[in-house]
Amino acid sequence: MKRFTRRNFNSLTVKGIGGAALLTSAPFACAMGAGQEKKKLGIALVGLGSYSTYQLAPALQSTQHCYLAGIVTGTPQKEKIWADKYGIPEKNIYNYQNFDDIADNEDIDVVYVVLPNSMHAEFSIRAAQAGKHVICEKPMGISVAECDAIINACKEAGVKLGMGYRLHSEPYTQQVKKFVREKTFGDILFVSADAAYRSNGNPDQWRLNKKLSGGGALMNMGVYAVQSTIYGTGENPISVAAQEFSTRPEYFKDTDETITAQFEFPSGAVGNISTSHNFNANAMYASGSSGWFRLQPANNYGPLSGVTSNGDEIKFPHESQQKLQMDDFARHILFDEPNKAPGEMGKRDMMIVEAIYKSIANGGETIALDFEPGYGFGG
């Protein structure tokens, strides 16, 4: 069985990813101009929940262009734990009340907002107003209006804005985009994507509280499924119809449990997604006019896995997706490389999420979507 490996993938993308790799291997002074010192960007994590604790902070120990410089937490007990573990100086530790003082801290270049969804807009805007570049974890906010506010704040402050969309930096997703771009399997006719897990934990967790989360499975896992259909076709959808199901209303009292949706794309391709907090699913499949490809698993922290109708295995060495993602954003800032997950991508996805909820509220009505060509696509 033939494998798509990092070696043959890179050899086919000299002007794209390969060219970027050549740039990032060059000395910083060469890339930025003579006289400028080499520098790694300092990142402050805002919110020290499980994602920061078990994914982002460990990833920042092996990043090339950025490092863990500071933390922001509402839990005083965590301050010493993190300071001792990662050597974070006291002056780089903040809480939610004194957060704005981060403006005077030259050690911190980027603020990564990893809070409950309803807090994304407030702290992304405050970070921008403090003059810091912003990474906002998905979903960007709990409304399109919040997304606009974040984008405008970053533009007004002259800072960079990126989404915490880790999959755009890992090689399996890049290979899918390459298949679509080069029509390896012809024109894409159909794509399906599933992103779900079964929640059996604390029913009082913030993800099941609509005031904090803005929604349920769709706002959490569903964003991955929506994204898979978009990069699996290379297009933004022009319409969506959706349905919602609940079999455990006593547990999912406030948020959506399971949602399915159907998309239509400008080329005539169609797509289906399913997302849930009540079963496990993790796959994407695309059928073209001359073959198909599949990733399964497709959206977890890896390693991912894939296969094509040619019998070829899609296989790359596993690396931390979060490490790749944060280094990509750092390179965007330091070397002016393309932003793989810009704020407009987060806004586009929230526009789609709002359309899905509208369709459900209207009994499965087909809702038209209107995007400019390529809107929300990253570099």
Side-chain angles (χ1 to χ4, degrees):
M1 177 179 286
K2 178 182 174 184
R3 288 186 176 185
F4 288 94
T5 65
R6 179 176 292 278
R7 176 174 294 182
N8 61 38
F9 175 62
N10 285 345
S11 70
L12 295 173
T13 54
V14 173
K15 293 184 179 179
I17 298 168
L22 290 174
L23 175 59
T24 59
S25 65
F28 185 84
C30 177
M32 296 295 292
Q36 297 192 35
E37 295 180 0
K38 183 176 180 180
K39 185 186 180 215
K40 295 177 74 170
L41 298 180
I43 293 184
L45 298 177
V46 185
L48 305 183
S50 62
Y51 192 59
S52 287
T53 301
Y54 300 112
Q55 302 299 329
L56 296 177
L60 283 165
Q61 306 314 299
S62 57
T63 40
Q64 182 180 358
H65 299 291
C66 52
Y67 71 101
L68 178 60
I71 54 173
V72 183
T73 179
T75 307
Q77 298 91 324
K78 292 182 179 180
E79 294 181 5
K80 185 176 185 334
I81 294 172
W82 280 66
D84 291 346
K85 184 172 183 178
Y86 293 111
I88 299 171
E90 184 178 354
K91 68 184 182 68
N92 291 359
I93 298 174
Y94 298 86
N95 56 48
Y96 301 142
Q97 287 69 47
N98 67 9
F99 171 75
D100 300 309
D101 295 341
I102 209 168
D104 301 319
N105 194 323
E106 295 184 356
D107 292 347
I108 295 170
D109 305 288
V110 180
V111 166
Y112 195 149
V113 179
V114 204
L115 294 163
N117 305 339
S118 64
M119 302 171 72
H120 286 184
E122 176 189 349
F123 281 87
S124 293
I125 291 169
R126 288 170 68 179
Q129 291 172 343
K132 306 303 180 181
H133 303 294
V134 179
I135 304 175
C136 180
E137 191 48 47
K138 63 85 186 164
M140 190 173 182
I142 60 173
S143 68
V144 174
E146 286 193 351
C147 298
D148 281 329
I150 295 170
I151 291 171
N152 291 337
C154 290
K155 287 181 177 178
E156 289 173 7
V159 298
K160 305 287 189 180
L161 171 61
M163 289 298 301
Y165 284 156
R166 55 190 164 77
L167 293 176
H168 288 274
S169 293
E170 63 84 33
Y172 290 85
T173 300
Q174 292 178 32
Q175 181 67 69
V176 165
K177 292 180 181 181
K178 185 171 183 291
F179 285 155
V180 174
R181 183 175 63 250
E182 298 185 356
K183 295 185 181 293
T184 306
F185 300 97
D187 297 322
I188 300 299
L189 306 175
F190 170 78
V191 62
S192 66
D194 309 303
Y197 67 84
R198 182 172 172 83
S199 176
N200 281 318
N202 178 13
D204 297 323
Q205 63 184 279
W206 72 261
R207 288 197 181 279
L208 303 182
N209 181 333
K210 192 171 183 178
K211 288 184 179 179
L212 294 176
S213 64
L218 180 62
M219 292 282 279
N220 182 18
M221 300 303 294
V223 174
Y224 295 116
V226 168
Q227 284 238 322
S228 290
T229 65
I230 291 172
Y231 55 70
T233 58
E235 302 179 287
N236 286 325
I238 57 175
S239 71
V240 63
Q243 307 79 35
E244 179 181 352
F245 305 92
S246 180
T247 58
R248 294 166 62 199
E250 73 287 351
Y251 183 80
F252 300 103
K253 297 176 182 178
D254 199 32
T255 58
D256 46 280
E257 171 194 312
T258 301
I259 284 178
T260 57
Q262 303 79 47
F263 295 103
E264 182 182 358
F265 295 89
S267 64
V270 294
N272 292 336
I273 70 164
S274 68
T275 187
S276 181
H277 279 160
N278 196 39
F279 60 81
N280 296 316
N282 186 344
M284 72 91 63
Y285 168 83
S287 177
S289 55
S290 59
W292 55 265
F293 55 88
R294 179 176 69 241
L295 294 183
Q296 189 173 9
N299 54 58
N300 62 5
Y301 298 153
L304 306 184
S305 182
V307 67
T308 78
S309 55
N310 296 334
D312 298 331
E313 182 181 8
I314 307 171
K315 188 72 174 178
F316 297 96
H318 176 62
E319 293 185 84
S320 163
Q321 298 166 351
Q322 291 80 9
K323 179 192 78 171
L324 297 172
Q325 168 211 324
M326 289 185 284
D327 263 342
D328 276 344
F329 188 64
R331 281 193 290 266
H332 170 58
I333 296 168
L334 293 170
F335 308 122
D336 199 30
E337 291 188 15
N339 189 347
K340 291 187 175 179
E344 288 76 13
M345 183 182 288
K347 176 184 175 181
R348 176 202 64 193
D349 295 346
M350 184 53 55
M351 293 171 70
I352 295 171
V353 165
E354 285 194 352
I356 289 173
Y357 281 134
K358 181 178 180 180
S359 174
I360 291 168
N362 294 344
E365 174 188 359
T366 297
I367 306 298
L369 294 162
D370 186 15
F371 298 104
E372 294 181 6
Y375 180 81
F377 282 77

